[in-house]
Amino acid sequence: GFLNRVDFIWYAGEPQMTWEECFEDLKLFEKEHGHTRVPQLYPLNQRMANWVNSQRKTYELLKSGKMSPMTAERI
């Protein structure tokens, strides 16, 4: 395609973290803070905060019977 021919940068921000990497960050957060209530705005690790928010949303989709990337294994 046209964009690939000009070496278009698809991810302009920080590199994507895997689900497992984010989960490890969450475990460290829980160990340090004693809970997993990561705020939506968490400057020390905003990528993890975004991931936590996404997990909450996908879980709600699953609970409401809608299509969701959330799996029983991840719950």
Side-chain angles (χ1 to χ4, degrees):
F2 292 106
L3 294 173
N4 284 331
R5 279 191 247 145
V6 297
D7 294 323
F8 185 78
I9 304 298
W10 292 100
Y11 302 103
E14 296 182 51
Q16 295 279 334
M17 292 177 67
T18 66
W19 192 95
E20 290 79 10
E21 289 171 323
C22 290
F23 182 66
E24 289 301 316
D25 281 356
L26 179 62
K27 290 190 326 187
L28 291 173
F29 180 94
E30 193 274 334
K31 185 175 183 179
E32 182 178 334
H33 299 281
H35 62 81
T36 58
R37 294 181 307 273
V38 180
Q40 287 187 355
L41 298 176
Y42 185 62
L44 296 176
N45 192 338
Q46 190 57 50
R47 287 189 298 177
M48 179 198 52
N50 294 342
W51 177 84
V52 167
N53 189 48
S54 175
Q55 299 313 296
R56 290 175 178 143
K57 288 180 180 179
T58 59
Y59 179 69
E60 289 302 318
L61 286 173
L62 182 68
K63 278 183 27 179
S64 67
K66 297 178 181 168
M67 287 184 54
S68 170
M70 182 60 67
T71 65
E73 178 184 20
R74 289 182 173 175
I75 296 171

XYZ file of all heavy atoms in Angstrom:
634
model
N 0.803 -1.190 0.000
C 0.000 0.000 0.000
C 0.847 1.256 0.000
O 2.070 1.226 0.149
N 0.179 2.355 -0.195
C 0.862 3.651 -0.286
C 1.637 3.998 0.983
O 2.782 4.440 0.917
C -0.145 4.765 -0.585
C -0.737 4.677 -1.965
C -2.045 4.256 -2.128
C 0.009 5.007 -3.082
C -2.601 4.156 -3.387
C -0.530 4.914 -4.344
C -1.843 4.488 -4.506
N 1.028 3.824 2.138
C 1.687 4.210 3.387
C 2.909 3.347 3.675
O 3.946 3.858 4.114
C 0.703 4.161 4.559
C -0.426 5.189 4.483
C -1.434 4.958 5.595
C 0.134 6.601 4.567
N 2.803 2.060 3.409
C 3.955 1.186 3.635
C 5.112 1.523 2.704
O 6.268 1.388 3.075
C 3.568 -0.274 3.489
C 2.793 -0.781 4.689
O 2.978 -0.300 5.796
N 1.923 -1.741 4.454
N 4.811 2.013 1.500
C 5.867 2.374 0.552
C 6.686 3.566 1.024
O 7.818 3.723 0.618
C 5.276 2.660 -0.828
C 5.000 1.385 -1.591
C 4.660 1.654 -3.031
N 3.254 1.271 -3.165
C 2.366 1.860 -3.936
N 2.702 2.889 -4.666
N 1.131 1.425 -3.986
N 6.110 4.398 1.865
C 6.858 5.551 2.383
C 7.340 5.299 3.807
O 7.670 6.223 4.536
C 6.036 6.865 2.307
C 5.721 7.224 0.867
C 4.776 6.780 3.155
N 7.393 4.020 4.200
C 7.829 3.639 5.550
C 7.054 4.375 6.630
O 7.614 4.897 7.586
C 9.336 3.861 5.725
C 10.148 2.948 4.836
O 9.738 1.784 4.653
O 11.193 3.387 4.330
N 5.725 4.405 6.474
C 4.845 5.049 7.447
C 5.030 4.411 8.821
O 5.104 3.192 8.947
C 3.382 4.901 6.998
C 2.409 5.642 7.869
C 2.259 7.001 7.742
C 1.651 4.967 8.815
C 1.359 7.696 8.538
C 0.755 5.633 9.619
C 0.602 7.007 9.481
N 5.163 5.238 9.862
C 5.303 4.753 11.229
C 3.897 4.530 11.792
O 3.155 5.476 12.023
C 6.075 5.763 12.116
C 7.439 6.071 11.505
C 6.188 5.238 13.540
C 8.353 4.877 11.384
N 3.522 3.271 12.014
C 2.170 2.931 12.464
C 1.966 3.216 13.933
O 0.875 3.517 14.363
C 1.852 1.472 12.151
C 1.734 1.245 10.676
C 2.672 0.713 9.848
C 0.637 1.608 9.849
N 2.219 0.706 8.551
C 0.958 1.255 8.518
C -0.603 2.188 10.091
C 0.107 1.456 7.452
C -1.459 2.394 9.025
C -1.104 2.028 7.727
N 3.002 3.110 14.728
C 2.886 3.357 16.163
C 3.829 4.498 16.522
O 5.019 4.290 16.706
C 3.237 2.100 16.983
C 2.360 0.929 16.630
C 2.815 -0.107 15.835
C 1.045 0.890 17.085
C 1.988 -1.169 15.504
C 0.209 -0.169 16.757
C 0.689 -1.191 15.970
O -0.135 -2.232 15.653
N 3.265 5.708 16.623
C 4.088 6.887 16.870
C 4.480 7.018 18.339
O 5.453 7.678 18.666
C 3.358 8.142 16.411
N 3.723 6.411 19.240
C 4.011 6.510 20.668
C 5.005 5.453 21.100
O 5.788 4.924 20.314
N 4.941 5.137 22.374
C 5.817 4.103 22.912
C 5.409 2.756 22.337
O 4.266 2.553 21.961
C 5.700 4.080 24.431
C 6.188 5.350 25.098
C 6.093 5.253 26.606
O 6.599 4.256 27.156
O 5.522 6.164 27.205
N 6.353 1.823 22.281
C 6.023 0.488 21.751
C 4.886 -0.162 22.549
O 4.764 0.058 23.745
C 7.314 -0.308 21.928
C 8.380 0.699 22.146
C 7.717 1.922 22.711
N 4.093 -0.955 21.856
C 2.996 -1.672 22.496
C 3.548 -2.677 23.494
O 4.567 -3.319 23.249
C 2.177 -2.422 21.437
C 1.465 -1.526 20.459
C 0.182 -0.985 21.038
O -0.413 -1.596 21.901
N -0.248 0.145 20.559
N 2.878 -2.800 24.627
C 3.242 -3.827 25.606
C 2.306 -5.007 25.416
O 1.146 -4.833 25.070
C 3.098 -3.277 27.027
C 4.095 -2.197 27.374
S 3.832 -1.512 29.027
C 4.219 -2.894 30.074
N 2.825 -6.195 25.667
C 1.976 -7.377 25.574
C 1.049 -7.433 26.784
O 1.277 -6.774 27.801
C 2.815 -8.673 25.533
O 3.483 -8.826 26.789
C 3.819 -8.654 24.390
N 0.009 -8.254 26.682
C -0.916 -8.446 27.799
C -0.144 -8.934 29.021
O -0.361 -8.465 30.131
C -2.000 -9.458 27.392
C -3.147 -9.529 28.335
C -4.327 -8.848 28.226
C -3.230 -10.311 29.542
N -5.136 -9.163 29.299
C -4.486 -10.052 30.115
C -2.362 -11.183 30.179
C -4.902 -10.649 31.293
C -2.771 -11.783 31.368
C -4.031 -11.509 31.909
N 0.767 -9.854 28.796
C 1.537 -10.433 29.891
C 2.431 -9.394 30.569
O 2.573 -9.388 31.793
C 2.373 -11.616 29.391
C 1.558 -12.838 29.012
C 0.887 -12.726 27.635
O 1.198 -11.780 26.865
O 0.047 -13.593 27.334
N 3.053 -8.504 29.779
C 3.893 -7.444 30.355
C 3.063 -6.499 31.222
O 3.483 -6.107 32.317
C 4.592 -6.655 29.253
C 5.676 -7.418 28.538
C 6.191 -6.701 27.315
O 5.403 -6.055 26.590
O 7.405 -6.786 27.073
N 1.894 -6.148 30.746
C 1.008 -5.273 31.521
C 0.551 -5.963 32.801
O 0.470 -5.334 33.861
C -0.186 -4.842 30.682
S 0.248 -3.713 29.355
N 0.256 -7.249 32.704
C -0.153 -8.000 33.886
C 0.969 -8.026 34.924
O 0.716 -7.878 36.130
C -0.572 -9.419 33.494
C -1.053 -10.246 34.652
C -2.219 -9.917 35.323
C -0.333 -11.344 35.070
C -2.657 -10.670 36.411
C -0.756 -12.114 36.145
C -1.922 -11.774 36.815
N 2.205 -8.180 34.476
C 3.347 -8.153 35.397
C 3.453 -6.785 36.073
O 3.725 -6.703 37.276
C 4.648 -8.501 34.664
C 4.750 -9.964 34.257
C 4.659 -10.919 35.438
O 5.297 -10.657 36.478
O 3.956 -11.939 35.315
N 3.244 -5.709 35.315
C 3.256 -4.365 35.897
C 2.150 -4.222 36.941
O 2.351 -3.609 37.990
C 3.085 -3.290 34.819
C 4.366 -3.023 34.055
O 5.415 -3.610 34.389
O 4.308 -2.198 33.117
N 0.972 -4.785 36.645
C -0.131 -4.727 37.598
C 0.224 -5.475 38.885
O -0.086 -5.005 39.981
C -1.410 -5.290 36.981
C -2.638 -5.306 37.883
C -3.032 -3.890 38.299
C -3.793 -6.000 37.187
N 0.882 -6.615 38.755
C 1.291 -7.357 39.946
C 2.274 -6.549 40.791
O 2.184 -6.548 42.026
C 1.886 -8.712 39.551
C 0.842 -9.668 39.021
C 1.280 -11.105 38.823
C 2.657 -11.379 38.395
N 2.920 -12.797 38.067
N 3.184 -5.831 40.147
C 4.116 -4.974 40.884
C 3.383 -3.832 41.574
O 3.689 -3.478 42.715
C 5.185 -4.414 39.937
C 6.185 -5.416 39.384
C 7.069 -4.759 38.328
C 7.023 -6.011 40.494
N 2.398 -3.255 40.883
C 1.584 -2.182 41.461
C 0.873 -2.694 42.704
O 0.862 -2.035 43.747
C 0.577 -1.669 40.426
C -0.313 -0.568 40.937
C 0.024 0.758 40.745
C -1.497 -0.857 41.606
C -0.791 1.781 41.218
C -2.323 0.147 42.077
C -1.959 1.472 41.878
N 0.294 -3.885 42.602
C -0.444 -4.467 43.732
C 0.490 -4.741 44.917
O 0.137 -4.494 46.067
C -1.138 -5.764 43.292
C -2.159 -6.280 44.277
C -1.567 -7.158 45.362
O -0.505 -7.770 45.123
O -2.162 -7.227 46.452
N 1.680 -5.205 44.617
C 2.647 -5.485 45.681
C 3.037 -4.190 46.404
O 3.163 -4.168 47.626
C 3.883 -6.150 45.086
C 4.894 -6.592 46.101
C 6.046 -7.347 45.445
C 7.009 -7.841 46.508
N 8.112 -8.598 45.919
N 3.192 -3.112 45.644
C 3.600 -1.831 46.226
C 2.462 -1.120 46.958
O 2.660 -0.537 48.016
C 4.151 -0.916 45.130
C 4.633 0.420 45.650
C 5.227 1.287 44.558
O 5.707 0.739 43.548
O 5.209 2.515 44.721
N 1.243 -1.193 46.402
C 0.123 -0.407 46.929
C -0.896 -1.220 47.727
O -1.761 -0.643 48.384
C -0.588 0.322 45.785
C 0.297 1.285 45.059
N 0.594 2.538 45.537
C 0.980 1.155 43.897
C 1.400 3.150 44.702
N 1.655 2.330 43.698
N -0.839 -2.546 47.618
C -1.766 -3.383 48.358
C -3.138 -3.504 47.730
O -4.070 -4.010 48.355
N -3.296 -3.044 46.494
C -4.570 -3.126 45.772
C -4.292 -3.003 44.278
O -3.173 -2.708 43.872
C -5.548 -2.025 46.229
C -5.045 -0.640 45.970
N -5.136 -0.031 44.731
C -4.428 0.246 46.790
C -4.608 1.178 44.805
N -4.165 1.373 46.043
N -5.330 -3.224 43.480
C -5.197 -3.094 42.027
C -6.105 -2.003 41.468
O -6.454 -2.029 40.295
C -5.512 -4.432 41.318
O -6.839 -4.843 41.662
C -4.513 -5.507 41.702
N -6.461 -1.047 42.304
C -7.310 0.065 41.851
C -6.440 1.139 41.202
O -6.266 2.234 41.734
C -8.111 0.629 43.017
C -9.131 -0.345 43.583
C -9.945 0.255 44.728
N -9.127 0.817 45.794
C -8.645 0.145 46.840
N -8.910 -1.144 46.963
N -7.921 0.747 47.759
N -5.902 0.823 40.045
C -5.037 1.753 39.324
C -5.895 2.892 38.781
O -6.897 2.648 38.106
C -4.318 1.032 38.157
C -3.410 1.995 37.406
C -3.553 -0.177 38.663
N -5.526 4.143 39.073
C -6.321 5.252 38.538
C -6.174 5.352 37.027
O -5.166 4.923 36.459
C -5.727 6.489 39.230
C -4.383 6.075 39.704
C -4.415 4.587 39.894
N -7.188 5.913 36.384
C -7.129 6.058 34.927
C -5.983 6.960 34.498
O -5.416 6.764 33.430
C -8.460 6.593 34.384
C -9.547 5.561 34.425
C -10.822 6.027 33.748
O -10.933 7.164 33.327
N -11.784 5.142 33.658
N -5.663 7.938 35.311
C -4.509 8.794 35.049
C -3.436 8.451 36.074
O -3.560 8.770 37.256
C -4.891 10.272 35.145
C -5.934 10.748 34.140
C -6.301 12.199 34.403
C -5.432 10.565 32.721
N -2.401 7.756 35.614
C -1.325 7.312 36.493
C 0.002 7.591 35.798
O 0.530 6.749 35.064
C -1.499 5.822 36.810
C -0.505 5.290 37.814
C -0.466 5.780 39.114
C 0.381 4.288 37.464
C 0.443 5.291 40.038
C 1.292 3.787 38.374
C 1.317 4.296 39.666
O 2.216 3.811 40.579
N 0.551 8.798 35.980
C 1.741 9.218 35.238
C 2.956 8.301 35.395
O 3.796 8.240 34.502
C 2.058 10.606 35.798
C 0.810 11.059 36.458
C 0.077 9.822 36.886
N 3.056 7.572 36.500
C 4.206 6.689 36.683
C 4.201 5.511 35.714
O 5.248 4.931 35.420
C 4.271 6.185 38.126
C 4.500 7.260 39.186
C 4.451 6.653 40.579
C 5.832 7.955 38.954
N 3.033 5.134 35.214
C 2.926 4.037 34.248
C 1.577 4.161 33.538
O 0.658 3.372 33.783
C 3.070 2.680 34.935
C 3.258 1.545 33.948
O 2.899 1.665 32.778
N 3.808 0.439 34.405
N 1.464 5.148 32.653
C 0.191 5.406 31.988
C -0.223 4.259 31.071
O -1.400 3.974 30.923
C 0.243 6.724 31.209
C -1.112 7.170 30.688
C -2.145 7.328 31.803
O -1.885 7.979 32.803
N -3.317 6.747 31.629
N 0.752 3.583 30.470
C 0.391 2.448 29.604
C -0.312 1.365 30.406
O -1.298 0.789 29.951
C 1.623 1.871 28.912
C 2.153 2.772 27.807
C 3.211 2.103 27.001
N 4.357 1.760 27.827
C 5.421 1.112 27.386
N 5.484 0.718 26.132
N 6.429 0.840 28.195
N 0.186 1.084 31.622
C -0.474 0.086 32.460
C -1.864 0.581 32.860
O -2.819 -0.183 32.854
C 0.336 -0.226 33.716
C -0.354 -1.254 34.601
S 0.205 -1.328 36.303
C 0.095 0.350 36.839
N -1.982 1.859 33.200
C -3.285 2.414 33.582
C -4.277 2.275 32.427
O -5.442 1.906 32.647
C -3.136 3.868 33.996
N -3.840 2.545 31.214
C -4.710 2.386 30.046
C -5.106 0.926 29.872
O -6.256 0.612 29.552
C -4.015 2.882 28.783
C -3.774 4.367 28.795
O -4.380 5.124 29.565
N -2.869 4.818 27.953
N -4.155 0.032 30.087
C -4.424 -1.400 29.965
C -5.444 -1.856 31.001
O -6.369 -2.599 30.686
C -3.112 -2.170 30.111
C -3.281 -3.651 30.071
C -3.361 -4.446 28.958
C -3.379 -4.538 31.192
N -3.501 -5.759 29.329
C -3.509 -5.844 30.698
C -3.355 -4.346 32.571
C -3.628 -6.954 31.528
C -3.474 -5.451 33.396
C -3.608 -6.740 32.867
N -5.274 -1.412 32.254
C -6.219 -1.775 33.316
C -7.619 -1.299 32.947
O -8.601 -2.040 33.065
C -5.772 -1.206 34.681
C -6.886 -1.311 35.709
C -4.525 -1.915 35.174
N -7.725 -0.070 32.470
C -9.024 0.466 32.061
C -9.624 -0.374 30.932
O -10.820 -0.684 30.936
C -8.883 1.927 31.643
C -10.201 2.587 31.421
O -11.109 2.498 32.236
N -10.327 3.273 30.299
N -8.790 -0.784 29.991
C -9.258 -1.621 28.888
C -9.743 -2.983 29.396
O -10.761 -3.507 28.924
C -8.124 -1.814 27.877
O -8.504 -2.702 26.865
N -9.038 -3.561 30.377
C -9.463 -4.849 30.938
C -10.828 -4.724 31.597
O -11.682 -5.602 31.469
C -8.439 -5.375 31.954
C -7.065 -5.617 31.387
C -7.088 -6.389 30.085
O -7.497 -7.543 30.036
N -6.637 -5.745 29.017
N -11.025 -3.626 32.302
C -12.323 -3.399 32.947
C -13.437 -3.298 31.914
O -14.513 -3.870 32.088
C -12.266 -2.136 33.803
C -11.395 -2.299 35.032
C -11.260 -1.011 35.798
N -10.454 -1.220 37.001
C -9.598 -0.343 37.479
N -9.441 0.829 36.879
N -8.904 -0.605 38.568
N -13.172 -2.585 30.820
C -14.185 -2.430 29.768
C -14.489 -3.751 29.076
O -15.651 -4.073 28.822
C -13.722 -1.394 28.746
C -13.762 0.017 29.262
C -13.282 0.994 28.210
C -13.324 2.419 28.746
N -12.853 3.385 27.754
N -13.436 -4.522 28.757
C -13.686 -5.786 28.068
C -14.393 -6.791 28.976
O -15.196 -7.595 28.503
C -12.381 -6.399 27.497
O -11.453 -6.611 28.558
C -11.767 -5.508 26.445
N -14.130 -6.719 30.272
C -14.836 -7.583 31.224
C -16.318 -7.226 31.266
O -17.179 -8.106 31.277
C -14.207 -7.471 32.612
C -14.895 -8.309 33.655
C -14.809 -9.694 33.616
C -15.641 -7.723 34.666
C -15.445 -10.476 34.573
C -16.283 -8.496 35.626
C -16.178 -9.867 35.568
O -16.817 -10.639 36.512
N -16.626 -5.939 31.279
C -18.029 -5.509 31.282
C -18.742 -5.967 30.013
O -19.909 -6.366 30.061
C -18.125 -3.987 31.448
C -17.752 -3.509 32.840
C -18.603 -4.123 33.945
O -19.833 -4.245 33.780
O -18.025 -4.507 34.981
N -18.050 -5.903 28.870
C -18.644 -6.397 27.631
C -18.968 -7.881 27.760
O -20.054 -8.328 27.382
C -17.686 -6.185 26.451
C -17.530 -4.768 25.937
C -16.414 -4.708 24.887
C -18.834 -4.258 25.350
N -18.027 -8.641 28.275
C -18.226 -10.074 28.446
C -19.406 -10.358 29.365
O -20.257 -11.190 29.057
C -16.952 -10.710 29.010
C -16.974 -12.215 29.197
C -17.013 -12.917 27.844
C -15.761 -12.665 29.998
N -19.462 -9.647 30.492
C -20.558 -9.860 31.444
C -21.917 -9.541 30.846
O -22.908 -10.155 31.206
C -20.346 -8.988 32.686
C -19.388 -9.590 33.683
C -19.204 -8.787 34.953
C -20.349 -7.934 35.364
N -20.128 -7.185 36.609
N -21.954 -8.580 29.924
C -23.235 -8.196 29.327
C -23.588 -9.049 28.108
O -24.573 -8.789 27.430
C -23.225 -6.715 28.951
O -22.305 -6.473 27.906
N -22.766 -10.079 27.823
C -23.070 -10.991 26.729
C -22.631 -10.505 25.368
O -22.989 -11.100 24.358
N -21.841 -9.439 25.321
C -21.367 -8.907 24.043
C -20.014 -9.505 23.701
O -19.336 -10.084 24.547
C -21.276 -7.388 24.118
C -22.627 -6.742 24.350
C -22.519 -5.255 24.461
C -23.915 -4.688 24.721
N -23.854 -3.302 25.123
N -19.619 -9.352 22.426
C -18.313 -9.847 21.998
C -17.222 -9.106 22.759
O -17.290 -7.894 22.934
C -18.134 -9.656 20.499
C -18.947 -10.611 19.667
S -18.632 -10.458 17.897
C -16.878 -10.635 17.817
N -16.229 -9.866 23.211
C -15.165 -9.281 24.005
C -13.894 -10.113 23.844
O -13.966 -11.332 23.761
C -15.576 -9.262 25.481
O -14.476 -8.913 26.302
N -12.735 -9.456 23.843
C -11.482 -10.214 23.804
C -11.132 -10.853 25.149
O -10.186 -11.622 25.235
C -10.436 -9.165 23.405
C -11.017 -7.868 23.821
C -12.507 -8.013 23.724
N -11.903 -10.572 26.179
C -11.655 -11.144 27.498
C -11.926 -12.644 27.457
O -12.904 -13.087 26.874
C -12.540 -10.470 28.552
C -12.319 -10.957 29.967
S -10.658 -10.720 30.603
C -10.569 -8.935 30.694
N -11.052 -13.407 28.097
C -11.223 -14.861 28.156
C -11.368 -15.299 29.607
O -10.935 -14.599 30.520
C -10.006 -15.585 27.543
O -8.861 -15.301 28.351
C -9.759 -15.163 26.110
N -11.926 -16.478 29.795
C -12.076 -17.032 31.149
C -10.714 -17.207 31.796
O -10.544 -16.994 32.997
C -12.822 -18.354 31.092
N -9.712 -17.572 31.021
C -8.359 -17.766 31.548
C -7.807 -16.465 32.134
O -7.147 -16.481 33.162
C -7.432 -18.264 30.447
C -5.999 -18.447 30.885
C -5.079 -18.841 29.749
O -5.422 -18.626 28.572
O -3.997 -19.356 30.052
N -8.096 -15.341 31.492
C -7.585 -14.060 31.950
C -8.315 -13.541 33.185
O -7.770 -12.779 33.954
C -7.636 -13.026 30.830
C -6.616 -13.322 29.758
C -6.640 -12.289 28.676
N -5.547 -12.510 27.736
C -5.378 -11.829 26.639
N -6.230 -10.873 26.304
N -4.361 -12.090 25.841
N -9.561 -13.959 33.362
C -10.321 -13.519 34.533
C -9.744 -14.199 35.741
O -9.500 -13.669 36.752
C -11.817 -13.828 34.392
C -12.397 -13.040 33.226
C -12.562 -13.537 35.670
C -13.810 -13.429 32.869
